[in-house]
Amino acid sequence: MALRKKKTEEQAHGRGSDKAAKAPGRIAQIRQGYTAIRRLDPNVGWFMLLAALLVLLVVMLVGWLWLGRPFFSIIFALPLMMLAAMLVLNRRANNAMYAALDGKAGAAGAALTSIQRGWYISQEPVAADVQNRQMDFSNAAVVFRALGRPGVVLVGEGPKPRVNRLLEAERKKVSRVAPGVPVHLIVAGDGEGDVPIRKLVRTVQRLKPAITKAEMAVVNKRLKSLPGIRDAVPAGIDPTRVRMNRKALRGR
């Protein structure tokens, strides 16, 4: 019995060691991210290098003017060079991501999920208008919902007339369960009056706060009571052609 217990503990320890060995380190994660971004933006490395060299030039110039030792200032320039390169990498990654999403079904929802703090984001559309029996969402009108301090934000994408009807219907539903809470309507796209995908997150985050965090929690509970897309679309169908996540449909 003791030998069996010891063997079990050794196996468990081995599995834990394997998991620890498989977990990539910080440098490996950055390398993997850079490789993925470079596939979308082949010039990202040159922009990172340019940013780092500009920082080096500025720091050496300051060191020469103030200290009279431009080469000594290289020591202080190294962390700033790395920071500048990472900022460029992050900026170019966002631009590449939005460029890849632009024009694809579910792009608005994917962009909204990049907002990580202070918002409740619906990972699945809260409403959809699909006008074909094959349930093809490539030309569907869909609405995504976000809840934050500015209130409820409804973002629609797809053919403009159908999107506007869906947005108005969802606005009425939200106003019924959360009266007095501001409801913002946004159409994501490249048409007149639309918000491009690359500017969607910035537009949402710049809305002025109107409710408190405590009120947000109350409103979120009320929004969960609203019927969603699962009442109109067969189970397992998702606008982004991914299997339906029922846990996400019930809300966070």
Side-chain angles (χ1 to χ4, degrees):
M1 181 66 71
L3 291 174
R4 184 181 300 176
K5 183 177 180 181
K6 183 178 180 180
K7 185 177 181 180
T8 303
E9 291 177 351
E10 290 176 352
Q11 290 176 349
H13 179 72
R15 288 194 296 267
S17 300
D18 292 341
K19 290 181 180 179
K22 291 180 181 178
R26 191 69 170 177
I27 302 299
Q29 290 178 354
I30 295 175
R31 188 185 301 114
Q32 292 173 1
Y34 171 77
T35 303
I37 295 166
R38 190 177 180 183
R39 296 192 188 100
L40 300 174
D41 185 0
N43 296 321
V44 64
W46 293 108
F47 282 99
M48 293 174 64
L49 178 61
L50 178 61
L53 291 178
L54 285 176
V55 169
L56 176 62
L57 180 62
V58 171
V59 173
M60 290 185 64
L61 181 62
V62 172
W64 177 62
L65 292 176
W66 285 6
L67 304 176
R69 297 179 178 180
F71 294 100
F72 180 75
S73 60
I74 294 179
I75 300 175
F76 302 97
L78 290 177
L80 296 178
M81 292 170 64
M82 293 180 62
L83 177 61
M86 294 307 300
L87 289 175
V88 170
L89 178 64
N90 183 64
R91 183 64 180 268
R92 300 288 295 187
N94 288 336
N95 292 339
M97 180 189 71
Y98 293 139
L101 290 174
D102 197 15
K104 294 184 178 179
L112 287 175
T113 54
S114 65
I115 304 177
Q116 298 179 352
R117 295 182 179 180
W119 288 81
Y120 296 98
I121 307 294
S122 63
Q123 297 181 359
E124 307 288 344
V126 295
D129 182 3
V130 186
Q131 297 186 342
N132 57 72
R133 295 182 178 179
Q134 291 76 26
M135 301 304 295
D136 181 10
F137 279 82
S138 59
N139 195 37
V142 294
V143 174
F144 295 89
R145 185 176 64 217
L147 170 64
R149 291 285 310 280
V152 178
V153 181
L154 298 175
V155 181
E157 69 174 32
K160 199 73 169 284
R162 287 189 282 148
V163 165
N164 289 335
R165 287 196 296 268
L166 277 181
L167 286 172
E168 183 60 25
E170 287 302 309
R171 184 192 65 79
K172 291 180 180 179
K173 292 180 183 178
V174 172
S175 298
R176 186 170 62 251
V177 299
V181 176
V183 181
H184 307 273
L185 306 182
I186 296 177
V187 177
D190 297 319
E192 184 179 356
D194 297 349
V195 177
I197 291 296
R198 66 182 182 277
K199 296 182 179 180
L200 179 59
V201 171
R202 191 190 320 162
T203 300
V204 171
Q205 291 179 324
R206 286 184 176 180
L207 295 172
K208 295 182 179 180
I211 61 177
T212 65
K213 293 183 178 180
E215 290 171 334
M216 278 177 55
V218 175
V219 173
N220 186 49
K221 291 181 179 179
R222 295 184 180 182
L223 292 177
K224 289 180 180 180
S225 66
L226 291 174
I229 190 174
R230 56 181 170 180
D231 298 319
V233 179
I237 300 296
D238 182 80
T240 55
R241 297 182 183 275
V242 180
R243 184 174 178 81
M244 189 77 77
N245 188 332
R246 294 193 173 278
K247 184 177 180 181
L249 283 171
R250 289 194 295 268
R252 293 184 176 180

